[in-house]
């Protein structure tokens, strides 16, 4: 969506939906069962909204307010612009660290858990110190060969998303008919929103965002 500059305001925004599934963008639980690795890709970002905006302040000659005098010269030419991004997080896998005996059987260092029926992985979650509900998972039961591979899908938990706003304040001054000078101040992540890089997903420790 794009709105051309009208009345000193322009806006551009884009929404993106994507969904990627594979069996290879992560650590394999059991290399002898690649079909069991099918799940969300580790780079899967389901929803993303991004865009830009510009607002020319309505002060100065040919504007709505303060059209003449010293005030017009001081206030004219100011504009506020910026960009924004809102996106859901990438996908994460809850796991138990594999024991030495598991690794000796060819396990690649992690074991996924079993899902506890009737308990939501997201219930009570979504906070920095408890991103997901660890009570929704349990240690898998070993089979007749001593293997304990869980039934939880790879990359089944959505990690922290992105909320970012960058903003600029600028003043443009005309220097004759063909030249101008612009003074600009820019702030990235202007609202100082915390951006988490990931979540600890080992079920032997709290699932904290970091």
């Amino acid at each position: 969506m794009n709105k051309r500059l009208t009345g000193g305001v322009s806006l551009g925004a884009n929404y993106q939906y994507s969904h990627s599934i594979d069996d290879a963008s992560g650590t394999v639980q059991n290399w002898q069962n690649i079909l069991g690795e099918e799940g969300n890709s580790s780079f899967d970002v389901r929803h993303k909204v991004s865009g830009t905006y510009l607002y020319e302040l309505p002060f100065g000659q040919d504007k709505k307010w303060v059209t003449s005098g010293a005030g017009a010269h001081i206030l004219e030419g100011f504009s506020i612009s910026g960009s924004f991004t809102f996106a859901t997080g990438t996908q994460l896998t809850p796991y138990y660290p594999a024991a030495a005996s598991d690794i000796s059987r060819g396990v690649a260092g992690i074991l996924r858990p079993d899902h506890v029926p009737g308990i939501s992985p997201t219930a009570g979650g979504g906070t920095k110190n408890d991103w997901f509900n660890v009570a929704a998972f349990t240690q898998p039961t070993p089979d007749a060969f001593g293997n304990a591979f869980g039934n939880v899908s790879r990359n089944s938990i959505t990690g922290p998303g992105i909320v970012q706003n960058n903003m600029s304040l600028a003043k443009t001054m005309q220097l004759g008919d063909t030249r101008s000078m612009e003074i600009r101040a820019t702030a990235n992540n202007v609202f100082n929103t915390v951006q988490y890089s990931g979540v600890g997903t080992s079920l032997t420790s709290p699932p904290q965002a970091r």
Side-chain angles (χ1 to χ4, degrees):
M1 179 184 71
N2 290 286
K3 179 185 181 299
R4 294 183 179 181
L5 187 64
T6 305
V9 177
S10 68
L11 175 67
N14 177 68
Y15 168 73
Q16 174 183 312
Y17 172 83
S18 64
H19 188 196
S20 176
I21 298 174
D22 62 32
D23 59 11
S25 63
T27 304
V28 176
Q29 174 181 233
N30 178 11
W31 65 271
Q32 294 180 317
N33 180 23
I34 298 301
L35 289 178
E37 298 304 308
E38 183 174 319
N40 297 318
S41 300
S42 59
F43 51 82
D44 180 32
V45 175
R46 201 65 51 85
H47 305 279
K48 182 178 180 180
V49 177
S50 58
T52 59
Y53 56 89
L54 169 66
Y55 175 49
E56 296 179 342
L57 300 186
F59 306 119
Q61 186 178 359
D62 300 325
K63 299 294 184 179
K64 187 174 182 179
W65 295 313
V66 194
T67 58
S68 62
H73 289 291
I74 294 173
L75 296 176
E76 70 180 354
F78 275 100
S79 64
I80 297 172
S81 61
S83 62
F84 55 88
T85 300
F86 306 104
T88 53
T90 53
Q91 307 302 310
L92 308 172
T93 303
Y95 73 96
Y96 290 103
S101 57
D102 296 314
I103 296 175
S104 68
R105 291 195 298 272
V107 174
I110 68 168
L111 293 170
R112 295 200 294 273
D114 280 342
H115 179 245
V116 178
I119 299 182
S120 170
T122 59
T127 64
K128 178 182 181 298
N129 294 323
D130 291 289
W131 190 258
F132 60 89
N133 183 12
V134 296
F137 307 104
T138 187
Q139 285 271 10
T141 302
D143 60 20
F145 301 99
N147 299 314
F149 299 121
N151 59 23
V152 169
S153 299
R154 183 175 56 85
N155 292 331
S156 56
I157 295 174
T158 301
I162 296 174
V163 178
Q164 187 167 15
N165 290 275
N166 304 320
M167 187 176 292
S168 295
L169 175 65
K171 178 175 174 60
T172 301
M173 295 171 285
Q174 294 298 133
L175 303 176
D177 294 332
T178 60
R179 291 177 296 175
S180 64
M181 181 176 70
E182 181 182 83
I183 300 173
R184 177 180 293 268
T186 300
N188 292 327
N189 194 16
V190 65
F191 299 117
N192 198 29
T193 306
V194 176
Q195 311 293 332
Y196 295 108
S197 61
V199 175
T201 57
S202 171
L203 293 170
T204 59
S205 60
Q208 296 180 334
R210 58 180 185 271

